[in-house]
Amino acid sequence: MSLWWVNFPRVMIFFLRFFKVAAVAWAVVYSYNIFDTLKLAFLMILRDYLFSGFIMATILWLVSNRMLLSPPSHTTPADSQVEWAYAFDVHTNAFFPLYLALYLAQLFLLPIILKDNWVCLWVGNTLYLAAFAQYTYGVYLGLNALPFLIRSELLLSPLLPLFTAYIISLLGFNVAKGVLDVYFGS
């Protein structure tokens, strides 16, 4: 079996540092004490990145190996399959733009996002649309690079419900405000 994933512990260490920085920045905005800041950092690392990564990598691994593998041929060995570690690596690479949008850019846009008017609702919802669309596209790019997968464009199918939900949300539901209320409480 070919190994397509690259085991870089440095990437994981960078992500842990990025989440620590984000946790401290959000803690300053919400006036958290040290204990709450550590709790926030652990939630960001464990729930948002590792747990969601475990779930997404497992889904990607299953979908890729059951629906997207090309049949064995003279150019594709019979033992070609997507390793779970590669699927987690794809999640990690796709997660970085989402991190930049929702953990950093959202922080700077917070005064705009939390206002109660349609333009601010549009800014917040568009930020979430961009973040999840980039994640979906990053997953597609990561798995599309494997020569033994076919129909990988199916990985872009979550974009349709994402865009539909975005259009519906513009009728009055501020996604960013709702997520922040759940995440940090009101």
Side-chain angles (χ1 to χ4, degrees), residues 36-172:
D36 289 335
T37 303
L38 290 173
K39 182 179 168 188
L40 180 61
F42 279 116
L43 279 174
M44 287 178 170
I45 293 166
L46 295 176
R47 181 189 60 198
D48 298 353
Y49 174 64
L50 293 175
F51 183 68
S52 71
F54 178 79
I55 290 171
M56 286 305 300
T58 303
I59 291 169
L60 292 171
W61 175 71
L62 287 171
V63 167
S64 297
N65 287 325
R66 296 216 172 133
M67 295 174 55
L68 304 179
L69 279 181
S70 63
S73 68
H74 67 285
T75 59
T76 307
D79 66 343
S80 293
Q81 66 178 8
V82 177
E83 294 104 7
W84 186 90
Y86 182 81
F88 189 82
D89 191 42
V90 166
H91 159 74
T92 297
N93 293 335
F95 195 86
F96 189 68
L98 186 136
Y99 167 84
L100 292 175
L102 299 185
Y103 291 82
L104 298 182
Q106 182 176 222
L107 182 66
F108 294 107
L109 293 171
L110 203 57
I112 297 167
I113 290 171
L114 294 179
K115 290 185 180 175
D116 285 323
N117 63 51
W118 190 85
V119 172
C120 297
L121 175 139
W122 175 79
V123 169
N125 290 6
T126 302
L127 183 67
Y128 274 78
L129 170 70
F132 284 102
Q134 286 176 331
Y135 180 83
T136 303
Y137 188 63
V139 165
Y140 163 74
L141 289 177
L143 290 171
N144 190 45
L146 298 177
F148 51 85
L149 293 184
I150 57 172
R151 298 183 310 273
S152 58
E153 61 276 356
L154 291 174
L155 295 166
L156 295 172
S157 61
L159 291 176
L160 182 61
L162 183 66
F163 284 119
T164 304
Y166 170 72
I167 297 299
I168 292 170
S169 75
L170 292 178
L171 297 174

